[in-house]
Amino acid sequence: MNGAVIENLSNRKLFGIFVVLLCVQILFFLIGAIYAPSPSTFMEFEMIKCHDSSKGITNEWFHRENCQLIDDLSQFTPSSFDMREIVFVAKMPHARDGIELEYSPWFQFLLGVLHVDVEYSEHFKYVEHAPLSLEVRMGYRTKESGKNDWQELSSTNVSRILECSIKDEDKKEGRSYDCDMLDLFEFGSSNYPFYLVNIRIPINQAACRYNPKSPNCQIGKISELRLIEIHQNGGFTLIWLWMKTLLTPIVSGCLYWYWRRIHQLARNPLLLEKAILALGLSLAILDFPIEWISLTLRVPFLLLVSDLRQGLFYTILFSFWLIFAGEHLIDDTTRNNIMSYRFNLSFIITASFALLIYDLVERGVQLYNPFYSVWASETGSNIAYFTIFVGAICTVCYFAFLFYKIVKVWTTIRRKRAAQLYQNSENRRLKVEGVIYRFKFLMLFTLLCSAFTILAYFMKQYGEAQLHSDDARDGFLTGSTSAFFTGTFGMCNIYVLLLLAMYAPSHKHYKGASQLIDEEDDEIVDDGTHTESNALTTFLKPNTD
């Protein structure tokens, strides 16, 4: 039978590989720290107020050139009670230093949150948890279109809950409430260079008299609307895509080499080998730079595809860690059987399926209605935060359980070594000692990689939650965190490549029960009945005497 590369590779070659991988890992961190900008950035727009004498009948687009500007809403007297003649307008992006900026496909996604400025008033009182209803139109134009030739991208009614607070000493006319940010829109790709947003806040006076809790009846005195738009930095996208582009052929080639080594054996692949193969395949899918397509084609579902690929990789990675530790822990009657892990894997599969449903609902609806958000309502926000909280708790518990299993494996190694190892010949003792040290290194690397992967996942989820909150402008994803994400991404690739290389069947063969097999003339004994390719699992096999 074949031994694994990890048990047959010389110490000098193994040390050289580790040094190279360490240098590559440092390079990933340096790329993010030196060359990559922050993952996301924002633009803030104070929406201008325009007077529409037609009250929306003409379906006209309002922008700065045709706007009858309303300087101060408190000085404006509407001609009707429905307030539909007031239009809040924002053109994105705004001009800077007299130059008209434009959005690029490199931005990958666009997220908009709305800040409502509410003034304290004795006549128009704000009531807590006030329902807010907005009539929103989103238009776009291309570089070839005329300056004011806007095409409709989406038009819908948006319902949100307005959460504001004010201190007792600030309850004076003209003072402002402190209001939470409201989700407005999210695009999974940046398809057009220019966007135009028109917002109306209609009030149904008859509905207010019948039910004071009707939309816009308790929102108080609104003075301004401010739009904060957040997008992925083009420079970060460029670095990220080039890393994935360079890693894809390397991972694919190593995966193919590992698959050939496995299928050249005169036996069926083992569970651990299948798990490594599945992990490598999921990494190849994650690394494939499909985002290049969005630079030339309109791909609104790209954000959903990215979430699905990442979810697949995390699911297989977490499952692999359990199998990797468990295959060196359980006895021969249950080893190499996926059903032995059904209880542990069921938690991972259930959590992944729940997050998949959540993501399909959130991202799926946004494909045709970018103004939909699960964060829009109080119930939806609670569910979203609850999902993130449960996910964080589950990942911490998972990491603790994984750490427990690895410690148990190390305890088993120490007990076995004390009981059996030094009863063997000097050559076999040195051989197995070397395998043990190498396995311990991989276990330590597994702990380190799992810690950084789980931390990166949690921080990404936390950062996305910040984008939907008052911390959107100063959140984690808009800070200088590129080095952490590029370093973690590189670590995951290095870890999987190391597993593919170290656990592939070696080209050296066992031909007898006690034949010398390696260049160091170390002796290793095979009992003729064991089915594992790893010498360490042979060593950990429980006594049957």
Side-chain angles (χ1 to χ4, degrees):
M1 62 178 271
N2 293 70
V5 171
I6 189 175
E7 69 181 79
N8 290 329
L9 197 65
S10 67
N11 291 333
R12 184 179 60 183
K13 293 180 180 178
L14 192 64
F15 179 76
I17 291 175
F18 289 159
V19 170
V20 171
L21 293 181
L22 178 60
C23 294
V24 173
Q25 178 63 69
I26 295 175
L27 180 62
F28 274 105
F29 277 107
L30 292 178
I31 289 175
I34 299 176
Y35 297 103
S38 59
S40 303
T41 191
F42 71 92
M43 291 184 178
E44 187 168 350
F45 306 85
E46 185 172 338
M47 305 187 74
I48 63 174
K49 302 168 286 293
C50 300
H51 178 226
D52 177 18
S53 57
S54 71
K55 303 175 185 178
I57 296 178
T58 61
N59 215 24
E60 181 182 6
W61 286 103
F62 287 87
H63 42 81
R64 189 171 291 275
E65 281 74 15
N66 69 344
C67 175
Q68 299 181 33
L69 192 62
I70 303 174
D71 293 325
D72 190 351
L73 283 180
S74 61
Q75 303 298 323
F76 176 75
T77 303
S79 60
S80 62
F81 292 104
D82 62 5
M83 306 297 288
R84 297 192 75 255
E85 57 194 283
I86 302 175
V87 184
F88 294 86
V89 178
K91 174 184 171 295
M92 304 185 304
H94 47 55
R96 180 178 297 170
D97 298 328
I99 301 175
E100 187 178 42
L101 303 179
E102 61 184 56
Y103 289 118
S104 166
W106 288 97
F107 291 170
Q108 294 295 295
F109 73 87
L110 296 177
L111 172 67
V113 292
L114 191 67
H115 185 272
V116 182
D117 288 341
V118 180
E119 291 185 1
Y120 181 82
S121 174
E122 292 291 342
H123 302 287
F124 304 97
K125 291 186 177 182
Y126 164 79
V127 180
E128 290 185 354
H129 314 301
L132 174 66
S133 180
L134 306 173
E135 293 181 3
V136 184
R137 294 181 69 198
M138 174 76 80
Y140 72 92
R141 67 177 176 89
T142 62
K143 297 179 183 179
E144 295 76 18
S145 304
K147 185 176 182 181
N148 297 316
D149 185 16
W150 297 97
Q151 304 295 321
E152 186 169 278
L153 181 61
S154 180
S155 178
T156 185
N157 293 330
V158 175
S159 296
R160 302 289 189 262
I161 300 298
L162 187 59
E163 298 286 357
C164 301
S165 61
I166 190 172
K167 298 179 181 179
D168 291 337
E169 58 269 22
D170 292 333
K171 290 184 177 180
K172 300 176 182 179
E173 291 288 337
R175 296 291 183 90
S176 296
Y177 284 82
D178 182 17
C179 298
D180 294 344
M181 295 288 187
L182 302 175
D183 282 287
L184 188 60
F185 65 85
E186 184 170 9
F187 292 101
S189 58
S190 177
N191 301 306
Y192 304 104
F194 310 104
Y195 294 89
L196 182 67
V197 181
N198 284 187
I199 299 178
R200 302 175 193 264
I201 310 178
I203 298 178
N204 189 328
Q205 295 293 336
C208 290
R209 288 191 295 267
Y210 178 76
N211 181 12
K213 294 184 178 181
S214 296
N216 302 337
C217 296
Q218 299 177 323
I219 59 177
K221 184 181 179 180
I222 294 180
S223 58
E224 300 285 349
L225 292 184
R226 283 179 290 158
L227 177 63
I228 294 94
E229 177 274 321
I230 305 166
H231 58 266
Q232 182 168 304
N233 271 323
F236 180 82
T237 304
L238 177 63
I239 297 295
W240 194 256
L241 282 183
W242 273 115
M243 285 197 311
K244 298 179 73 172
T245 301
L246 294 176
L247 284 171
T248 295
I250 297 175
V251 173
S252 300
C254 190
L255 188 63
Y256 176 72
W257 171 81
Y258 180 84
W259 177 83
R260 285 195 61 187
R261 283 289 182 93
I262 293 297
H263 282 76
Q264 286 174 355
L265 298 175
R267 58 168 173 79
N268 293 325
L270 304 172
L271 177 60
L272 184 60
E273 294 167 341
K274 293 178 181 178
I276 295 176
L277 187 64
L279 181 61
L281 183 60
S282 67
L283 179 66
I285 295 174
L286 178 66
D287 284 349
F288 187 76
I290 191 177
E291 292 85 354
W292 286 113
I293 302 176
S294 66
L295 302 181
T296 55
L297 301 176
R298 184 173 180 267
V299 191
F301 54 84
L302 190 61
L303 199 59
L304 175 61
V305 172
S306 298
D307 287 348
L308 294 178
R309 292 193 301 171
Q310 192 176 64
L312 174 66
F313 175 73
Y314 280 135
T315 300
I316 296 180
L317 180 63
F318 289 178
S319 302
F320 167 77
W321 284 334
L322 289 177
I323 295 174
F324 181 66
E327 282 299 279
H328 301 93
L329 193 61
I330 56 181
D331 57 33
D332 286 349
T333 60
T334 56
R335 182 182 294 152
N336 199 34
N337 184 2
I338 188 64
M339 295 304 295
S340 304
Y341 302 91
R342 62 183 181 276
F343 178 75
N344 296 331
L345 294 179
S346 63
F347 290 100
I348 299 176
I349 295 175
T350 302
S352 300
F353 183 76
L355 292 175
L356 173 63
I357 297 299
Y358 165 79
D359 206 54
L360 288 176
V361 171
E362 172 84 357
R363 305 295 190 199
V365 176
Q366 286 177 349
L367 291 179
Y368 65 88
N369 181 13
F371 295 98
Y372 172 82
S373 175
V374 71
W375 304 86
S377 63
E378 182 178 4
T379 302
S381 296
N382 291 336
I383 293 175
Y385 277 114
F386 177 77
T387 302
I388 295 175
F389 176 76
V390 171
I393 294 298
C394 290
T395 52
V396 170
C397 293
Y398 168 84
F399 182 71
F401 179 69
L402 179 66
F403 182 79
Y404 161 76
K405 294 195 72 172
I406 292 177
V407 170
K408 195 172 181 180
V409 170
W410 282 7
T411 303
T412 304
I413 293 174
R414 186 171 61 252
R415 186 179 67 251
K416 285 282 187 177
R417 179 167 57 184
Q420 297 181 10
L421 185 59
Y422 293 103
Q423 300 176 8
N424 299 317
S425 66
E426 180 68 14
N427 285 339
R428 175 172 170 77
R429 184 182 69 80
L430 293 175
K431 180 69 180 182
V432 179
E433 281 278 15
V435 175
I436 289 174
Y437 289 137
R438 298 174 188 188
F439 175 78
K440 283 186 174 182
F441 171 82
L442 281 178
M443 277 295 186
L444 285 173
F445 197 12
T446 295
L447 279 176
L448 183 63
C449 185
S450 61
F452 272 89
T453 302
I454 291 172
L455 183 61
Y457 174 78
F458 174 75
M459 294 176 74
K460 182 176 182 297
Q461 298 302 316
Y462 177 71
E464 290 184 354
Q466 283 184 315
L467 295 181
H468 298 271
S469 68
D470 295 338
D471 299 326
R473 287 165 289 192
D474 302 314
F476 178 77
L477 294 182
T478 54
S480 300
T481 56
S482 299
F484 178 80
F485 286 113
T486 57
T488 304
F489 179 74
M491 179 177 289
C492 289
N493 278 270
I494 291 173
Y495 175 70
V496 176
L497 289 175
L498 188 62
L499 287 172
L500 289 171
M502 294 295 100
Y503 277 84
S506 174
H507 63 281
K508 300 180 177 68
H509 297 273
Y510 296 98
K511 295 183 178 180
S514 56
Q515 183 177 356
L516 301 177
I517 62 169
D518 60 1
E519 69 240 14
E520 299 172 345
D521 293 331
D522 292 332
E523 181 184 6
I524 187 165
V525 180
D526 181 23
D527 61 7
T529 60
H530 187 53
T531 61
E532 285 283 356
S533 63
N534 188 348
L536 182 63
T537 54
T538 304
F539 170 68
L540 292 178
K541 180 181 176 182
N543 293 327
T544 56
D545 297 337

